[in-house]
Amino acid sequence: MIAIGSDHAGFKIKESIKDFFQREGIDYKDFGTNSTESVDYPEFARKVSESVVEFESEKGILVCGTGIGVCIAANKIKGIRAALCHNVNYARMARKHNDANVLCLGGRENTEEESIEIVKAFLATDFEGGRHSNRLSQITKLEEKLV
Ligand code: RB5
């Protein structure tokens, strides 16, 4: 299952991604927001991120105006590797090299079509492992304050 959430500025793109998931038969859970009324993005970043680290969802998708706020907030949750991706190559690299488990999108930065292509690339690309695994272990140590 994919966890998805946004603030008001990402609402429209979130709904487009949900339409795509429905067309493709991809299982998802929507953590809100549910309209374009102004809300604060950290709450939605937390809900999506918790769903991922608690293994309810395989991956998460978050959308705010730029994607920056939700990305900063999501990365505060232990176990989250959230990546702000403005294009398909970023999404591929975030998976291949960083094993990103949350994709962050800028609802005011990309079109609906571009956003869906970014989502497709993110979901279709596997982590390469190898030398990148060691680097991720070092990030985990930073989280654990072991270095
Ligand atoms: C909301 O206006 C905007 O600040 C928010 O969606 C996001 O872009 C923050 O990083």
Side-chain angles (χ1 to χ4, degrees):
M1 185 169 75
I2 308 298
I4 187 163
S6 75
D7 72 356
H8 54 289
F11 173 73
K12 198 162 167 268
I13 291 292
K14 174 172 70 68
E15 296 304 297
S16 303
I17 296 168
K18 281 167 54 186
D19 289 344
F20 163 70
F21 284 164
Q22 283 162 23
R23 286 197 302 276
E24 296 295 317
I26 295 170
D27 193 23
Y28 68 88
K29 183 168 175 181
D30 181 4
F31 287 87
T33 189
N34 300 316
S35 75
T36 54
E37 189 182 331
S38 184
V39 289
D40 299 327
Y41 57 79
E43 174 192 347
F44 304 96
R46 178 183 60 78
K47 287 177 176 168
V48 166
S49 298
E50 286 179 351
S51 177
V52 173
V53 296
E54 289 166 7
F55 303 107
E56 180 189 40
S57 302
E58 295 154 46
K59 293 189 180 73
I61 297 176
L62 285 164
V63 196
C64 67
T66 57
I68 296 171
V70 287
C71 197
I72 292 171
N75 277 313
K76 299 294 179 192
I77 309 285
K78 193 173 166 183
I80 290 297
R81 291 177 301 279
L84 173 55
C85 298
H86 287 311
N87 62 43
V88 163
N89 189 49
Y90 271 56
R92 288 198 186 114
M93 296 309 291
R95 291 288 310 129
K96 280 186 185 183
H97 285 197
N98 310 110
D99 198 17
N101 50 13
V102 172
L103 168 66
C104 300
L105 294 167
R108 292 172 175 158
E109 301 296 324
N110 288 107
T111 65
E112 291 179 28
E113 292 74 17
E114 286 167 348
S115 302
I116 287 164
E117 290 307 311
I118 295 168
V119 168
K120 280 188 198 168
F122 187 79
L123 297 182
T125 308
D126 290 327
F127 178 48
E128 279 181 355
R131 67 189 188 279
H132 304 295
S133 299
N134 179 40
R135 293 163 186 168
L136 294 192
S137 301
Q138 291 176 36
I139 293 176
T140 303
K141 281 184 187 162
L142 295 177
E143 243 177 14
E144 305 283 351
K145 298 187 172 49
L146 295 175
V147 285

